[in-house]
Amino acid sequence: MAELKYEIKGIEGLKKALADPEFIKGPAKEFLEKASALVERSAKEKVPVDTGRFRQSIASEIQTTRARIGSNLTYAPFVEFGTRPHFPPLAAMQPWAVRHGFPTGRQGAFLVARAISIHGTKPRPYLFPALEENKSEIEGLLKELAAEVERRWGKGG
């Protein structure tokens, strides 16, 4: 799992900033918007594309002090992490099977579903690699945020 860790120097200045509502509305929100836009763009470039619906569903949302980036499609986690063998619903497999040259009707869907029931699906990571790819740019944005906190709220108190 991708993870970013940071050491905070000048904690008193940060405490002042966090107590100021303008920090959340201004520099922190700007940081989250820029960082999430980087990851969202990379995720859209990396996600497997069949019809384009999945790519279009990837979005970011700023929630006060954090950003969420992902898809609202139910199968998104299964693409990122893969699945164990299971027998998927034939109705869900039918359109995919037709688009990929399998026999039309339930026969093609059954062939795809049977393969998934034996092998599962392989992970096709797009979100965590997007975060990893942008780590250095996000760290740069974080340094800019730290400089802005220092400029506005002073060093160490």
Side-chain angles (χ1 to χ4, degrees):
M1 180 178 279
E3 188 175 320
L4 295 173
K5 291 187 178 186
Y6 299 95
E7 180 182 340
I8 300 172
K9 294 178 181 177
I11 196 74
E12 292 308 314
L14 181 60
K15 284 180 184 177
K16 283 183 185 178
L18 291 173
D20 187 337
E22 292 304 311
F23 176 73
I24 301 301
K25 293 177 188 171
K29 183 178 181 189
E30 187 177 318
F31 162 75
L32 291 171
E33 287 171 345
K34 288 178 180 178
S36 63
L38 290 169
V39 176
E40 179 184 332
R41 182 174 52 248
S42 291
K44 286 180 175 183
E45 292 169 0
K46 293 178 179 322
V47 73
V49 177
D50 182 24
T51 64
R53 181 173 176 236
F54 194 2
R55 177 182 282 160
Q56 291 173 345
S57 75
I58 296 172
S60 54
E61 175 185 359
I62 308 302
Q63 299 176 332
T64 312
T65 58
R66 66 182 180 157
R68 294 180 54 144
I69 305 143
S71 169
N72 61 353
L73 298 178
T74 56
Y75 58 84
F78 306 125
V79 174
E80 180 83 14
F81 302 112
T83 66
R84 288 193 245 159
H86 65 287
F87 202 89
L90 293 181
M93 296 293 97
Q94 212 161 359
W96 187 93
V98 169
R99 284 192 308 274
H100 293 273
F102 285 85
T104 57
R106 293 178 62 85
Q107 182 186 8
F110 176 77
L111 292 172
V112 174
R114 185 177 63 184
I116 292 171
S117 76
I118 296 167
H119 304 289
T121 60
K122 292 182 180 179
R124 310 248 338 247
Y126 61 95
L127 200 52
F128 282 103
L131 175 60
E132 191 66 33
E133 179 180 282
N134 288 286
K135 222 181 230 187
S136 63
E137 281 191 68
I138 292 171
E139 287 171 349
L141 292 171
L142 197 56
K143 286 178 183 173
E144 290 176 18
L145 176 61
E148 183 64 15
V149 166
E150 188 175 310
R151 187 185 71 71
R152 287 191 188 195
W153 289 277
K155 267 188 169 176

